[in-house]
Amino acid sequence: MDTSDRIEQMVGPRKPVPSDRYQEHGQNAEMLWGSVEARDYLTPTDSFFVRSQSTTPVIDAERWQVAIDGPAVNREIAISYPDLLSLPQVEYVRALECAGNGRRFFESTYGLEAEGNQWGLGAVGVARWSGPRLRDVLELAGVGPGAQFVVPEGLDADRVRRPMPLSKALEEDTLVALTMNGEPLRVDHGFPARVIVSGWAAVASIKWLGRITVTTEPVWTRWNTELYVMDDDTGTTPDPIEEQVVKSTLELAWEANLSPGPQTIGGRAWSPHGCVAHVDYSIDDGPWRRAQMVEPNFKRAWVRFRLKWNATPGAHTIRTRAVDDSGNTQPEDVAWNRHGYLYAGVIAHPVSVTVQPDPG
Ligand SMILES: Nc1nc2c(c(=O)[nH]1)N[C@H]1C(S)=C(S)[C@@H](COP(=O)(O)O)O[C@H]1N2
Ligand SMILES: [Mo]
């Protein structure tokens, strides 16, 4: 059933995105790392980045349905919010990260701006998501033996569609999330339901879910041909991006301003594959030292870390480098790609240390 003509389409974030917590990029909003509280493991929903490619549909959950269709389902059905609630509800703490997170470091590395929002590193967050597993939702329609691809579709103006192979759709932490951090999804984050494809670039985590099509053939949409592909400008057909990469950053503004003397600086490191094994840091190109990690350390989410530093007046840089529990390490830099995806290179965070004026 197509209810989309009755849906109001708004543009831009509906929640407040104040400038002490967010950097706006057109209709998108990046979390500012300088506003992150070391005590919060989860990203508060009020600070979570927003990336909506066309519109923000405002959906009435009581009239809303999700169609499950396509040549590889046993029966085409339409399911409601109560149908989703009647399935077993599971909860996972998982990162959601835009493939373009860190894009602006292509410009600083190569002197050439990659296409798209010039995100710093704040197009990432970790939340607690709950709802049924996608595989249980698909089972309501019955998945036929020829099934190959699963294509969730959004109810926004562009009908964002990013296909995934059946095997990814069936993973235990691929969800149809109804809640985020213990409350119903906010409009900006996909109310009434969004997909969460753990470990993958967030474009696959379709918001405002309206349809799920199961096919017997690969499916090509704008979001796995032109967009969200690793285009290295060599003219060969680029591969679609699937998994994210290991990264780390500091909970500091860019650039940061600190007072001289002993400092404890917090940061976060994350891996789409598993848990972070350790994080090293280097101040002013000095020796690499191990940072202290702070529990919890959930898989495909992040871990907090901290480092102690006796800051001296002047201009400094702090680098961090994470390794995950399968040995994936952040590289020194990342090959150029036209759309500036998957920037995972080690970043020199600028920190200036000055005697702060006495407010006295
Ligand atoms: N329907 C729909 N789903 C979508 C998008 C969109 O524009 N429309 N944007 C995607 C992209 S590119 C990202 S990075 C994440 C952002 O999720 P958030 O706004 O909840 O942080 O949603 C993904 N899901
Ligand atoms: Mo994204």
Side-chain angles (χ1 to χ4, degrees):
M1 189 183 77
D2 194 344
T3 55
S4 55
D5 52 334
R6 296 203 303 260
I7 294 171
E8 190 184 0
Q9 304 282 352
M10 317 281 274
V11 174
R14 310 314 301 157
K15 69 178 184 184
V17 289
S19 60
D20 58 337
R21 267 179 278 140
Y22 287 98
Q23 163 79 52
E24 287 192 50
H25 299 273
Q27 60 184 79
N28 306 293
E30 169 176 4
M31 178 189 76
L32 288 175
W33 275 100
S35 73
V36 170
E37 298 275 2
R39 63 170 181 272
D40 295 331
Y41 176 83
L42 298 175
T43 308
T45 308
D46 287 335
S47 298
F48 208 97
F49 80 99
V50 179
R51 161 75 169 129
S52 301
Q53 303 184 13
S54 56
T55 58
T56 304
V58 182
I59 296 170
D60 174 357
E62 292 196 359
R63 300 204 306 196
W64 164 85
Q65 291 192 311
V66 183
I68 308 181
D69 61 13
V73 296
N74 296 335
R75 54 196 169 278
E76 300 201 330
I77 58 172
I79 58 172
S80 64
Y81 201 84
D83 293 333
L84 291 168
L85 279 175
S86 71
L87 294 170
Q89 306 291 295
V90 295
E91 186 171 82
Y92 287 85
V93 171
R94 287 292 184 267
L96 192 70
E97 182 177 19
C98 184
N101 194 30
R103 179 178 288 125
R104 81 179 167 76
F105 296 105
F106 284 99
E107 209 272 323
S108 45
T109 308
Y110 294 97
L112 184 61
E113 223 178 71
E115 286 167 17
N117 295 312
Q118 295 302 303
W119 302 109
L121 273 170
V124 61
V126 168
R128 197 154 50 84
W129 310 97
S130 82
R133 290 192 169 97
L134 178 55
R135 67 188 186 204
D136 291 343
V137 174
L138 292 176
E139 220 27 69
L140 295 173
V143 175
Q148 270 209 41
F149 277 79
V150 175
V151 193
E153 179 180 293
L155 288 166
D156 43 346
D158 276 3
R159 300 296 182 105
V160 174
R161 292 184 310 286
R162 172 52 202 250
M164 69 187 121
L166 183 67
S167 58
K168 186 64 188 173
L170 299 184
E171 280 188 16
E172 63 164 17
D173 55 357
T174 299
L175 314 179
V176 175
L178 304 175
T179 80
M180 175 182 186
N181 293 334
E183 53 171 35
L185 292 174
R186 304 273 180 89
V187 174
D188 295 312
H189 299 294
F191 181 82
R194 80 177 302 163
V195 178
I196 291 291
V197 184
S198 300
W200 275 36
V203 63
S205 292
I206 294 297
K207 305 195 274 190
W208 316 292
L209 187 61
R211 179 182 302 271
I212 308 171
T213 304
V214 187
T215 68
T216 53
E217 307 270 336
V219 178
W220 302 106
T221 70
R222 279 179 63 207
W223 296 273
N224 64 353
T225 54
E226 270 169 64
L227 303 171
Y228 304 97
V229 295
M230 275 301 215
D231 187 346
D232 61 4
D233 283 344
T234 58
T236 51
T237 304
D239 288 330
I241 290 168
E242 296 182 336
E243 283 189 309
Q244 287 290 127
V245 283
V246 178
K247 298 189 193 181
S248 61
T249 196
L250 297 169
E251 294 162 1
L252 291 179
W254 190 281
E255 5 184 312
N257 228 297
L258 299 177
S259 304
Q263 302 281 348
T264 301
I265 298 174
R268 316 240 164 166
W270 58 102
S271 167
H273 315 290
C275 296
V276 170
H278 53 84
V279 183
D280 293 325
Y281 68 96
S282 158
I283 293 170
D284 297 331
D285 285 317
W288 288 93
R289 298 179 203 282
R290 194 118 309 167
Q292 183 194 356
M293 303 221 290
V294 182
E295 289 290 308
N297 185 0
F298 291 118
K299 135 183 204 197
R300 290 175 164 174
W302 57 27
V303 68
R304 289 170 292 178
F305 63 86
R306 55 188 176 219
L307 57 96
K308 289 192 189 302
W309 179 40
N310 197 359
T312 53
H316 300 276
T317 55
I318 306 179
R319 290 178 165 77
T320 62
R321 184 175 66 194
V323 182
D324 75 6
D325 56 2
S326 354
N328 300 294
T329 304
Q330 282 189 257
E332 274 311 308
D333 44 43
V334 171
W336 166 262
N337 66 94
R338 166 181 295 271
H339 297 290
Y341 293 131
L342 303 184
Y343 194 90
V346 169
I347 282 160
H349 201 115
V351 180
S352 79
V353 177
T354 47
V355 179
Q356 308 290 314
D358 185 342

